[in-house]
Amino acid sequence: MILITGASGAVGSALLRELDGTEEVIALTHHKPVDTTSVRGDVTRPWLGLHPAEYRELAAKVDVVVHCAAAVNFSASHEHLHRVNVVGTGHVLRFVADAGARLVHGSTAFVARAGDGTPFDAYAATKATGETLVRESGLPACIARISTVIGDVPRLQAFHYLLGFALSGQLPFLPCTPGTRVDLVPRDAVAAALAALAHDHEAHGDHWLTAGPAALPMERVIEIAIDAAAARAQDDEELRDIDQTIFHTRLIDPAVASTVLTAVLSRSSSSAAPSVIERAANLMAAYDNAEPFPTSLGRIPSGPPAPTVESSETALRHLTDYLTGLPRQTWELS
């Protein structure tokens, strides 16, 4: 019996789909219902927010916990991030101990970049603390360090918005050092890897669920986005006769980004423009000029193959096709 926390999120919902029909699964959900056996709880509360009798009944059933519940909003307060990512992990560890179960702990690859002065810092720091709790618990556990997840996720996340703004012509430039690679991993690959770790009774240590050497240069990411935007324009009578090159995102050296932001945005009549570009710039700060993550994909028994540049490009094309199919108002900022 596998218990999945955060089962309605981007990773948890993909894992539910991966495990569908293969074994008994229970989902721990907080707000959104899921299409499987589930209990409604809250990892930030003792007993996972369950009645003690319900807690004991659940603990008697569960053999493996895959902990996907997390706060991933990088702009959230430190208190909220700590409550979910640290306190919540402590409560899950207590449940694992009470159940005599094994844990697959969902973490983030960005713990490797904690302290770099990026907007990811508070989030990465709380995830790093959660990892420490897992290691020091002495419980049978492994840690899955997950990179930026892409795909048809239940709720758009930061990188989806960056691409969406580029596709919709709202991102004229983006601070990025030439050669910077962006690690993107399809959520189906993440789900397959987590399922394999859940089934491997010997799994321990850290596992990097990342693109690794197959991470794409940001220049190539933008090229693929441009191709998707051009294809969309051909299918839109309002856009077909407009020179689409005027909307293309240009990468600029971060060293001059602040000057350009000041000079260009101060003359912009659009109140939304500074928000779009500044959000994108903040996101890119976590990738810019950083060494690629390692990857464990291709080395997890019964897990997915190692990513290749070709598979990374294919996944990105699927994502851009998905994003261009969303309503235009998706990219309108309030």
Side-chain angles (χ1 to χ4, degrees):
M1 177 71 76
I2 299 175
L3 175 69
I4 303 173
T5 71
S8 63
V11 172
S13 60
L15 180 57
L16 278 180
R17 185 169 60 191
E18 177 72 21
L19 296 174
D20 184 36
T22 61
E23 59 237 298
E24 291 188 279
V25 176
I26 299 177
L28 180 72
T29 63
H30 185 35
H31 294 299
K32 297 180 181 178
V34 294
D35 189 21
T36 191
T37 302
S38 63
V39 292
R40 186 169 181 177
D42 183 350
V43 297
T44 69
R45 297 175 59 194
W47 305 91
L48 302 183
L50 305 174
H51 185 278
E54 189 178 16
Y55 177 93
R56 288 191 293 269
E57 181 181 353
L58 184 64
K61 296 178 181 178
V62 170
D63 304 296
V64 180
V65 177
V66 184
H67 181 35
C68 298
V72 296
N73 183 351
F74 311 129
S75 62
S77 68
H78 180 76
E79 290 76 13
H80 176 71
L81 292 168
H82 180 84
R83 184 168 64 253
V84 179
N85 298 340
V86 179
V87 176
T89 296
H91 292 152
V92 169
L93 287 168
R94 177 57 188 265
F95 176 83
V96 171
D98 290 341
R102 190 166 53 83
L103 174 67
V104 179
H105 176 68
S107 186
T108 174
F110 288 93
V111 295
R113 297 177 187 169
D116 287 352
T118 74
F120 284 75
D121 271 359
Y123 164 69
T126 57
K127 295 298 287 185
T129 302
E131 286 192 5
T132 299
L133 293 179
V134 173
R135 293 192 187 92
E136 293 183 349
S137 71
L139 296 168
C142 64
I143 293 170
R145 288 180 165 175
I146 303 168
S147 186
T148 301
V149 177
I150 61 172
D152 54 341
V153 296
R155 193 172 93 178
L156 297 180
Q157 298 179 344
F159 198 84
H160 296 89
Y161 278 105
L162 185 151
L163 278 182
F165 292 145
L167 289 164
S168 60
Q170 297 185 72
L171 194 62
F173 61 87
L174 180 65
C176 180
T177 300
T180 291
R181 291 197 279 175
V182 182
D183 195 297
L184 308 172
V185 59
R187 71 180 190 130
D188 289 347
V190 172
L194 290 174
L197 292 171
H199 291 139
D200 183 0
H201 298 288
E202 303 302 322
H204 64 280
D206 301 338
H207 300 266
W208 295 78
L209 310 190
T210 64
L216 299 176
M218 193 60 194
E219 293 91 337
R220 183 59 180 148
V221 173
I222 293 298
E223 285 177 2
I224 291 174
I226 287 172
D227 290 344
R232 179 198 62 186
Q234 290 303 309
D235 296 331
D236 191 321
E237 291 184 3
E238 295 180 11
L239 300 174
R240 190 176 299 157
D241 297 327
I242 299 176
D243 180 6
Q244 293 299 307
T245 61
I246 64 175
F247 300 120
H248 292 175
T249 300
R250 271 73 174 179
L251 302 185
I252 65 172
D253 192 323
V256 300
S258 60
T259 301
V260 174
L261 281 167
T262 301
V264 175
L265 298 183
S266 64
R267 293 171 172 79
S268 173
S269 61
S270 171
S271 61
S275 177
V276 170
I277 296 177
E278 289 170 359
R279 288 184 189 188
N282 286 339
L283 176 63
M284 283 306 301
Y287 301 97
D288 192 63
N289 210 25
E291 289 296 317
F293 295 128
T295 187
S296 301
L297 298 182
R299 295 186 285 111
I300 298 173
S302 301
T308 64
V309 171
E310 292 75 17
S311 68
S312 291
E313 290 191 353
T314 298
L316 183 60
R317 288 191 184 95
H318 287 317
L319 175 61
T320 55
D321 288 344
Y322 169 67
L323 295 177
T324 55
L326 296 177
R328 290 184 184 178
Q329 56 265 34
T330 303
W331 316 115
E332 295 176 1
L333 294 180
S334 57

